[in-house]
Structures are given as structure tokens and as C-alpha cells.
Amino acid sequence: MSGIYIHIPFCHSKCAYCDFFSIPEKKSREGFADAVSKEWDMRRHELSDSEITTIYVGGGTPSILTPGELEAIVSPIPKSSLSEFTVEANPEDVTAHWVSSMRSLGVDRISIGVQSLNDRELAAVGRRHTAAEALDAIETILRGGISNISADLIYGLPGQTIDTWRDSLERLLQRGITHLSAYALSYEQGTRLYAMLMTGKIKEIPQEVSEQMYDMLCKYTTRRGFTHYEISNFALPGKHSRHNSSYWDYTPYLGLGPGAHSFDGEMRRVNPPGVAAYIAAINSGKTFYTVEEETTTDRINDLIITSLRTSHGLNQEAVEKIGGSKSLSELRKNADPFISSGRLLCTDSTMRIPEKYWLISDAILRDLLLE
């Protein structure tokens, strides 16, 4: 099995915290859909005739495309074996007609960027929608017949408090969503939010407040029947993101569009950012990607980082399969102090970080990585 990721780099405007590749919607949009379709035809062989089980259209803001543009992109991709077809959307783009169009294309899951249900917090990071519009969009999707809805929230926003975080969390979980992705705000260099922080226009919330918000997140989702299956992801039974899970369990996937990443089980490829250059290259019959050279140690470290973000943890046999018994012995040696302290649970076949330590998992992972 394998997945397809399609990166749509267009946005109405850039959110203050965003460091993903995106550009204004009208810039270089002409010819984009046709180029992505051509790239699929050029690169489909990389999946070695593996059944395509998931499609994920992300960005950027995929809901910015017309239904016709999205159809031109996805129509050549075989869908007979699909178990999940996700499209990301912003609330301001969701209409009854848009939902109906998505259903006609075979989309069965919508990932909606809510981020907060507090208008002041939304305005502080440049979101274009209001809390009421976000909730209306969810209702529109449900009425339109798509019941599998994932929503994004951010904690640690400028001006956010424990009370406003609780309010966003409680109200969103009551709206019939099946999946929640909740992220701690990060200040990435090159973003407007980072510049505001450096110039003193905003202040980062204290670490202890962020930890309280995360603890509240875990407790409230559990009460609602959600399973915490990855550091930032929570799902009702059977509603975990099948596509995103492929990134964490080494399932091959093909990334189409500028800024997209691919992994065929052995090699990683990256399409550089740049829409005009991407369209020109594809139209001239050339691939656009560069190859990320990885050593055996790099591959094992990738596996450690991705697997230990999840409730399933790291399969030790997979480490041995890639690097042999020597690599597995080095990993186990690195793991011993964390096993002794309870920050890492280990069986004969797996290692995993307990949920209560997920918020500090980066510190654990740094010391587990092979050299």
C-alpha cells in the first residue's frame, strides 16, 4: 500500500505563524493543476504498482482551488483501493456547493483549520475567519454528508489563557468532529510572528502554562472518547489519520507539487519550493525533485523520531532490519537510562514513550539517536 500527498501552495494570505511554502493565490496559479497531473504521470512508477490507499491534499490552502482545478489534479490517480481521501480547508472557503463538489470527487474526510474559537486570538495570528464562521463551516460539512472531520487547534497563541483554551477545546469537541490535531505554537524564523516576538510586540506564554494546556487537552479528549495516538493527534475509534500514520510507520508515499516530499521505502525525494519553476520543469518533461542522500544511520534516526511520536512506539526489529544487530545494540544502550527512569517503556519487540512524557519527547529523542 502507499499514499499520495499533493501540495497546494496557494493562500488567500499568510498566517503570522506559518513557515510552510505558500504564496498569494493568484501568483503563478495558471497551469498549476495541469502540471501536477503531468507530474503524477511522470512519477507514478516510483510506487512500483503498489495499491494507493490514501490521498491527502494539503497546503497552503487547498480549498482555494475551484472544484474543476482539484478534479484536474486528482482524476488521473487510481481510487479503487482508497481507504481515505482528505482535503484541507479553511472555514471561509466552505460552502454547501464546495462540500457537494468534494463528495462528487470521492473526498470522504475534511481537515479544517480552526486554530482557535476566540476571535481576538484568531486576529492576533492573521486568520481570516471568525469563531462563528469556523463552527458554521463544520456544520456545513456535516450537513453536506461528510462526517469524518478533523480540526486543527493551536495552544500558546498570543494572549491566550487557560480559560480561553478550555473554551475553544470544549466547544470544538462538542461539534461532531472525529479527529483533533492540536499543536503548541512555535515561533519559526522568517515568520511575522517571530519578528513580532523579537521586537517585543508579543510575549511567549510561560512553559508551565503551555504544559497546563497540554494536560487539559489530554484529559478533555479522553473524556470525549478520543484516543491519543500521536503527540499532536487525537481520534475517535477508527478515525485516526490513515495517511499521516504512513509517515510514522515507513509506508511509501509520493509527494506531488512544489514543496512536497516523497519516500519510496528506500529513498527520500523533495520538490523544492517555487511554483513558476515547478510548472516550467514539468511542462518541459523534467522531474523537479532533488534526492536527499541518507546513510543507514540517518534512516534509523528517522525511524526513531517518527515512531516514538506515536502510541505504538518503535519496532526494534525494524531498526535491526535497517542497520543490523550493531545498530540495535547501540540503540538499546542509549535507551537504558530512560528505561530505568520510566521515561521509556520497553518490551522485547517495542520501545515507546509514555504519554505523560510526550511533551518533553524531543529531549529524550536527542539522546536516543545513533551517531
Side-chain angles (χ1 to χ4, degrees):
M1 64 180 187
S2 57
I4 303 291
Y5 173 75
I6 302 169
H7 188 75
I8 309 301
F10 307 110
C11 281
H12 296 293
S13 60
K14 192 85 166 178
C15 296
Y17 54 80
C18 181
D19 69 334
F20 292 130
F21 171 56
S22 63
I23 61 174
E25 62 172 310
K26 294 180 180 179
K27 190 175 181 181
S28 303
R29 184 167 160 181
E30 185 177 349
F32 176 78
D34 183 57
V36 177
S37 178
K38 288 178 180 177
E39 187 187 14
W40 156 252
D41 194 52
M42 293 166 62
R43 298 184 59 193
R44 59 191 303 169
H45 67 279
E46 292 174 23
L47 297 177
S48 304
D49 297 321
S50 175
E51 286 189 339
I52 296 167
T53 54
T54 64
I55 297 175
Y56 193 105
V57 185
T61 309
S63 55
I64 224 171
L65 297 182
T66 66
E69 287 172 324
L70 186 57
E71 181 179 14
I73 289 171
V74 303
S75 59
I77 301 173
K79 301 177 185 64
S80 59
S81 300
L82 284 185
S83 62
E84 182 183 271
F85 185 172
T86 303
V87 173
E88 290 182 350
N90 275 358
E92 63 267 27
D93 297 324
V94 174
T95 64
H97 173 70
W98 182 84
V99 177
S100 175
S101 298
M102 293 305 100
R103 285 194 67 190
S104 69
L105 292 176
V107 175
D108 60 4
R109 183 174 184 270
I110 301 296
S111 177
I112 187 163
V114 175
Q115 315 311 357
S116 171
L117 289 178
N118 180 285
D119 288 345
R120 181 174 50 81
E121 293 167 5
L122 290 168
V125 292
R127 297 295 290 178
R128 288 164 51 90
H129 64 86
T130 65
E133 288 168 341
L135 295 176
D136 286 346
I138 293 172
E139 290 300 318
T140 299
I141 295 167
L142 289 170
R143 285 197 303 269
I146 298 179
S147 59
N148 196 3
I149 301 174
S150 177
D152 289 356
L153 282 180
I154 299 176
Y155 57 97
L157 292 167
Q160 191 175 51
T161 67
I162 292 292
D163 288 340
T164 61
W165 169 241
R166 179 189 294 108
D167 180 69
S168 289
L169 194 55
E170 285 184 330
R171 288 201 286 157
L172 189 57
L173 290 172
Q174 293 169 1
R175 292 298 173 138
I177 65 170
T178 56
H179 186 280
L180 175 66
S181 296
Y183 305 98
L185 179 67
S186 60
Y187 292 84
E188 304 293 341
Q189 286 192 14
T191 64
R192 280 192 290 127
L193 204 64
Y194 181 82
M196 292 164 69
L197 181 68
M198 293 297 100
T199 55
K201 293 180 180 178
I202 57 173
K203 292 183 178 180
E204 193 168 2
I205 69 167
Q207 178 64 26
E208 59 268 23
V209 175
S210 182
E211 291 173 0
Q212 289 178 50
M213 290 177 173
Y214 182 76
D215 183 61
M216 183 179 291
L217 167 67
C218 295
K219 288 178 179 177
Y220 277 52
T221 49
T222 297
R223 290 174 192 169
R224 284 280 173 177
F226 285 69
T227 298
H228 192 183
Y229 71 99
E230 193 268 348
I231 289 177
S232 302
N233 288 279
F234 307 77
L236 290 177
K239 298 299 183 180
H240 65 283
S241 172
R242 289 171 170 81
H243 181 85
N244 287 345
S245 294
S246 70
Y247 300 150
W248 308 320
D249 66 12
Y250 247 45
T251 299
Y253 58 92
L254 176 62
L256 305 174
H261 291 234
S262 303
F263 176 63
D264 64 7
E266 297 288 335
M267 182 184 296
R268 296 189 184 275
R269 298 174 174 89
V270 180
N271 282 354
V275 175
Y278 168 79
I279 293 174
I282 298 300
N283 284 341
S284 65
K286 300 176 183 178
T287 54
F288 193 60
Y289 64 77
T290 58
V291 175
E292 284 191 341
E293 300 294 342
E294 285 195 310
T295 65
T296 297
T297 299
D298 291 334
R299 292 182 62 201
I300 293 173
N301 286 340
D302 284 344
L303 183 63
I304 291 170
I305 291 169
T306 54
S307 298
L308 286 176
R309 292 179 57 89
T310 72
S311 58
H312 295 297
L314 173 66
N315 186 313
Q316 296 185 63
E317 289 183 2
V319 174
E320 188 171 26
K321 183 177 180 180
I322 296 172
S325 58
K326 183 178 179 181
S327 293
L328 181 56
S329 295
E330 183 182 348
L331 172 62
R332 286 175 172 169
K333 181 180 178 181
N334 293 347
D336 281 342
F338 298 103
I339 295 171
S340 299
S341 66
R343 288 174 290 171
L344 194 64
L345 301 179
C346 187
T347 67
D348 289 341
S349 59
T350 63
M351 293 180 184
R352 65 181 181 87
I353 300 173
E355 181 190 37
K356 66 180 179 180
Y357 295 117
W358 278 5
L359 200 58
I360 60 166
S361 61
D362 285 351
I364 298 172
L365 292 172
R366 279 197 298 269
D367 288 340
L368 288 178
L369 300 180
L370 307 191
E371 296 181 355

Short mmCIF file of all heavy atoms in Angstrom, two decimals, residues 220-250:
data_model
loop_
_atom_site.label_atom_id
_atom_site.label_comp_id
_atom_site.label_asym_id
_atom_site.label_seq_id
_atom_site.Cartn_x
_atom_site.Cartn_y
_atom_site.Cartn_z
N TYR A 220 -9.40 16.31 28.34
CA TYR A 220 -10.68 16.59 27.71
C TYR A 220 -10.95 15.67 26.53
O TYR A 220 -12.09 15.25 26.31
CB TYR A 220 -10.74 18.06 27.26
CG TYR A 220 -11.13 19.02 28.35
CD1 TYR A 220 -10.47 19.03 29.57
CD2 TYR A 220 -12.18 19.92 28.19
CE1 TYR A 220 -10.81 19.91 30.59
CE2 TYR A 220 -12.54 20.81 29.19
CZ TYR A 220 -11.85 20.79 30.40
OH TYR A 220 -12.20 21.66 31.39
N THR A 221 -9.94 15.37 25.75
CA THR A 221 -10.14 14.46 24.62
C THR A 221 -10.45 13.04 25.12
O THR A 221 -11.29 12.35 24.54
CB THR A 221 -8.90 14.43 23.71
OG1 THR A 221 -7.71 14.24 24.49
CG2 THR A 221 -8.78 15.73 22.92
N THR A 222 -9.78 12.61 26.19
CA THR A 222 -10.06 11.29 26.76
C THR A 222 -11.52 11.18 27.21
O THR A 222 -12.20 10.17 26.96
CB THR A 222 -9.13 11.00 27.94
OG1 THR A 222 -7.78 10.97 27.47
CG2 THR A 222 -9.45 9.66 28.58
N ARG A 223 -12.01 12.22 27.87
CA ARG A 223 -13.41 12.23 28.33
C ARG A 223 -14.38 12.11 27.17
O ARG A 223 -15.49 11.58 27.32
CB ARG A 223 -13.69 13.52 29.10
CG ARG A 223 -13.01 13.63 30.45
CD ARG A 223 -13.25 15.01 31.05
NE ARG A 223 -12.40 15.26 32.20
CZ ARG A 223 -12.25 16.45 32.76
NH1 ARG A 223 -12.91 17.50 32.28
NH2 ARG A 223 -11.46 16.60 33.81
N ARG A 224 -14.00 12.62 26.02
CA ARG A 224 -14.86 12.58 24.85
C ARG A 224 -14.68 11.31 24.02
O ARG A 224 -15.27 11.17 22.94
CB ARG A 224 -14.58 13.80 23.95
CG ARG A 224 -15.18 15.09 24.50
CD ARG A 224 -16.65 15.15 24.18
NE ARG A 224 -17.31 16.27 24.82
CZ ARG A 224 -18.58 16.57 24.64
NH1 ARG A 224 -19.33 15.81 23.86
NH2 ARG A 224 -19.12 17.60 25.25
N GLY A 225 -13.84 10.39 24.51
CA GLY A 225 -13.67 9.12 23.82
C GLY A 225 -12.61 9.09 22.76
O GLY A 225 -12.52 8.15 21.96
N PHE A 226 -11.76 10.13 22.73
CA PHE A 226 -10.68 10.18 21.75
C PHE A 226 -9.46 9.42 22.26
O PHE A 226 -9.15 9.45 23.45
CB PHE A 226 -10.28 11.63 21.48
CG PHE A 226 -11.24 12.40 20.63
CD1 PHE A 226 -12.51 12.75 21.11
CD2 PHE A 226 -10.90 12.79 19.34
CE1 PHE A 226 -13.40 13.47 20.34
CE2 PHE A 226 -11.79 13.52 18.55
CZ PHE A 226 -13.05 13.85 19.05
N THR A 227 -8.77 8.77 21.34
CA THR A 227 -7.51 8.10 21.64
C THR A 227 -6.35 9.01 21.25
O THR A 227 -6.34 9.58 20.15
CB THR A 227 -7.39 6.78 20.85
OG1 THR A 227 -8.44 5.91 21.26
CG2 THR A 227 -6.05 6.11 21.11
N HIS A 228 -5.39 9.14 22.14
CA HIS A 228 -4.20 9.96 21.89
C HIS A 228 -3.17 9.07 21.21
O HIS A 228 -2.39 8.39 21.85
CB HIS A 228 -3.67 10.50 23.22
CG HIS A 228 -2.63 11.57 23.07
ND1 HIS A 228 -1.99 12.13 24.15
CD2 HIS A 228 -2.11 12.19 21.99
CE1 HIS A 228 -1.14 13.04 23.75
NE2 HIS A 228 -1.19 13.09 22.43
N TYR A 229 -3.15 9.08 19.87
CA TYR A 229 -2.34 8.09 19.16
C TYR A 229 -1.02 8.65 18.64
O TYR A 229 -0.16 7.89 18.17
CB TYR A 229 -3.14 7.47 18.01
CG TYR A 229 -3.42 8.36 16.83
CD1 TYR A 229 -2.64 8.28 15.67
CD2 TYR A 229 -4.48 9.26 16.83
CE1 TYR A 229 -2.90 9.06 14.57
CE2 TYR A 229 -4.75 10.05 15.74
CZ TYR A 229 -3.96 9.96 14.61
OH TYR A 229 -4.22 10.75 13.52
N GLU A 230 -0.84 9.97 18.71
CA GLU A 230 0.42 10.61 18.31
C GLU A 230 0.51 11.91 19.09
O GLU A 230 -0.51 12.43 19.54
CB GLU A 230 0.42 10.86 16.80
CG GLU A 230 1.76 11.23 16.19
CD GLU A 230 2.01 12.73 16.13
OE1 GLU A 230 1.04 13.50 16.34
OE2 GLU A 230 3.15 13.14 15.86
N ILE A 231 1.70 12.42 19.28
CA ILE A 231 1.89 13.56 20.18
C ILE A 231 0.83 14.64 20.00
O ILE A 231 0.25 15.13 20.97
CB ILE A 231 3.30 14.17 19.99
CG1 ILE A 231 4.36 13.23 20.55
CG2 ILE A 231 3.39 15.53 20.69
CD1 ILE A 231 5.79 13.72 20.36
N SER A 232 0.54 15.00 18.76
CA SER A 232 -0.38 16.11 18.50
C SER A 232 -1.73 15.68 17.96
O SER A 232 -2.54 16.53 17.57
CB SER A 232 0.27 17.08 17.50
OG SER A 232 1.50 17.57 17.99
N ASN A 233 -2.01 14.37 17.95
CA ASN A 233 -3.20 13.89 17.26
C ASN A 233 -4.06 12.98 18.13
O ASN A 233 -3.55 12.08 18.81
CB ASN A 233 -2.80 13.17 15.98
CG ASN A 233 -2.32 14.14 14.91
OD1 ASN A 233 -3.13 14.74 14.22
ND2 ASN A 233 -1.01 14.30 14.79
N PHE A 234 -5.37 13.21 18.04
CA PHE A 234 -6.36 12.52 18.85
C PHE A 234 -7.51 12.10 17.93
O PHE A 234 -7.94 12.89 17.08
CB PHE A 234 -6.90 13.44 19.94
CG PHE A 234 -5.83 14.07 20.80
CD1 PHE A 234 -5.09 15.15 20.33
CD2 PHE A 234 -5.57 13.60 22.07
CE1 PHE A 234 -4.11 15.74 21.11
CE2 PHE A 234 -4.59 14.18 22.87
CZ PHE A 234 -3.86 15.25 22.38
N ALA A 235 -8.03 10.90 18.11
CA ALA A 235 -9.08 10.43 17.20
C ALA A 235 -10.08 9.54 17.93
O ALA A 235 -9.74 8.82 18.86
CB ALA A 235 -8.47 9.65 16.04
N LEU A 236 -11.33 9.61 17.46
CA LEU A 236 -12.32 8.63 17.90
C LEU A 236 -11.93 7.27 17.33
O LEU A 236 -11.17 7.19 16.36
CB LEU A 236 -13.70 9.05 17.42
CG LEU A 236 -14.31 10.30 18.08
CD1 LEU A 236 -15.65 10.64 17.44
CD2 LEU A 236 -14.46 10.12 19.59
N PRO A 237 -12.44 6.18 17.91
CA PRO A 237 -12.06 4.84 17.43
C PRO A 237 -12.25 4.69 15.93
O PRO A 237 -13.31 5.01 15.37
CB PRO A 237 -13.01 3.92 18.21
CG PRO A 237 -13.28 4.66 19.48
CD PRO A 237 -13.33 6.12 19.08
N GLY A 238 -11.19 4.23 15.25
CA GLY A 238 -11.23 4.00 13.82
C GLY A 238 -11.09 5.24 12.97
O GLY A 238 -11.14 5.17 11.73
N LYS A 239 -10.89 6.42 13.59
CA LYS A 239 -10.84 7.66 12.85
C LYS A 239 -9.46 8.32 12.84
O LYS A 239 -9.35 9.51 12.54
CB LYS A 239 -11.88 8.64 13.40
CG LYS A 239 -13.32 8.15 13.30
CD LYS A 239 -13.73 7.91 11.85
CE LYS A 239 -15.19 7.50 11.76
NZ LYS A 239 -15.61 7.27 10.35
N HIS A 240 -8.42 7.58 13.17
CA HIS A 240 -7.08 8.14 13.08
C HIS A 240 -6.77 8.47 11.62
O HIS A 240 -7.40 7.93 10.70
CB HIS A 240 -6.04 7.15 13.62
CG HIS A 240 -5.93 5.91 12.79
ND1 HIS A 240 -6.86 4.88 12.85
CD2 HIS A 240 -5.01 5.51 11.88
CE1 HIS A 240 -6.50 3.92 12.01
NE2 HIS A 240 -5.39 4.29 11.41
N SER A 241 -5.83 9.37 11.40
CA SER A 241 -5.46 9.73 10.04
C SER A 241 -4.63 8.61 9.43
O SER A 241 -3.47 8.40 9.78
CB SER A 241 -4.64 11.04 10.02
OG SER A 241 -4.14 11.28 8.72
N ARG A 242 -5.23 7.89 8.51
CA ARG A 242 -4.50 6.79 7.87
C ARG A 242 -3.33 7.31 7.05
O ARG A 242 -2.27 6.69 7.00
CB ARG A 242 -5.46 5.97 6.98
CG ARG A 242 -6.46 5.15 7.79
CD ARG A 242 -7.53 4.53 6.88
NE ARG A 242 -8.34 3.57 7.61
CZ ARG A 242 -9.35 3.89 8.41
NH1 ARG A 242 -9.65 5.17 8.58
NH2 ARG A 242 -10.04 2.96 9.03
N HIS A 243 -3.54 8.45 6.39
CA HIS A 243 -2.45 8.99 5.57
C HIS A 243 -1.28 9.45 6.43
O HIS A 243 -0.13 9.07 6.19
CB HIS A 243 -2.95 10.15 4.71
CG HIS A 243 -1.87 10.71 3.84
ND1 HIS A 243 -1.56 10.19 2.60
CD2 HIS A 243 -0.98 11.72 4.05
CE1 HIS A 243 -0.54 10.85 2.09
NE2 HIS A 243 -0.17 11.79 2.94
N ASN A 244 -1.55 10.29 7.42
CA ASN A 244 -0.45 10.78 8.25
C ASN A 244 0.25 9.66 9.00
O ASN A 244 1.46 9.73 9.25
CB ASN A 244 -0.97 11.84 9.24
CG ASN A 244 -1.30 13.15 8.55
OD1 ASN A 244 -0.90 13.38 7.42
ND2 ASN A 244 -2.06 13.99 9.22
N SER A 245 -0.49 8.62 9.35
CA SER A 245 0.13 7.48 10.03
C SER A 245 1.17 6.81 9.15
O SER A 245 2.12 6.20 9.65
CB SER A 245 -0.94 6.47 10.45
OG SER A 245 -1.78 7.01 11.45
N SER A 246 1.02 6.94 7.82
CA SER A 246 2.01 6.33 6.92
C SER A 246 3.37 7.00 7.05
O SER A 246 4.41 6.37 6.84
CB SER A 246 1.52 6.41 5.47
OG SER A 246 1.54 7.75 4.99
N TYR A 247 3.38 8.29 7.43
CA TYR A 247 4.65 8.98 7.63
C TYR A 247 5.38 8.41 8.85
O TYR A 247 6.61 8.44 8.92
CB TYR A 247 4.43 10.48 7.87
CG TYR A 247 3.75 11.21 6.74
CD1 TYR A 247 2.95 12.32 7.01
CD2 TYR A 247 3.90 10.83 5.42
CE1 TYR A 247 2.32 13.03 6.00
CE2 TYR A 247 3.27 11.52 4.40
CZ TYR A 247 2.48 12.62 4.69
OH TYR A 247 1.87 13.31 3.67
N TRP A 248 4.62 7.93 9.82
CA TRP A 248 5.19 7.48 11.08
C TRP A 248 5.53 5.99 11.09
O TRP A 248 6.22 5.53 11.99
CB TRP A 248 4.23 7.81 12.23
CG TRP A 248 3.80 9.24 12.25
CD1 TRP A 248 4.58 10.33 11.98
CD2 TRP A 248 2.49 9.76 12.50
NE1 TRP A 248 3.84 11.48 12.06
CE2 TRP A 248 2.56 11.18 12.38
CE3 TRP A 248 1.26 9.17 12.84
CZ2 TRP A 248 1.44 11.99 12.58
CZ3 TRP A 248 0.16 10.00 13.03
CH2 TRP A 248 0.26 11.37 12.90
N ASP A 249 5.03 5.23 10.09
CA ASP A 249 5.32 3.80 10.10
C ASP A 249 6.09 3.33 8.86
O ASP A 249 6.14 2.15 8.55
CB ASP A 249 4.05 2.97 10.28
CG ASP A 249 3.07 3.10 9.11
OD1 ASP A 249 3.46 3.64 8.05
OD2 ASP A 249 1.91 2.69 9.27
N TYR A 250 6.66 4.31 8.13
CA TYR A 250 7.55 3.99 7.00
C TYR A 250 6.81 3.46 5.77
O TYR A 250 7.38 2.79 4.92
CB TYR A 250 8.63 2.99 7.44
CG TYR A 250 10.03 3.59 7.44
CD1 TYR A 250 10.27 4.84 7.97
CD2 TYR A 250 11.12 2.90 6.91
CE1 TYR A 250 11.54 5.39 7.98
CE2 TYR A 250 12.41 3.45 6.91
CZ TYR A 250 12.60 4.69 7.45
OH TYR A 250 13.86 5.25 7.46
#
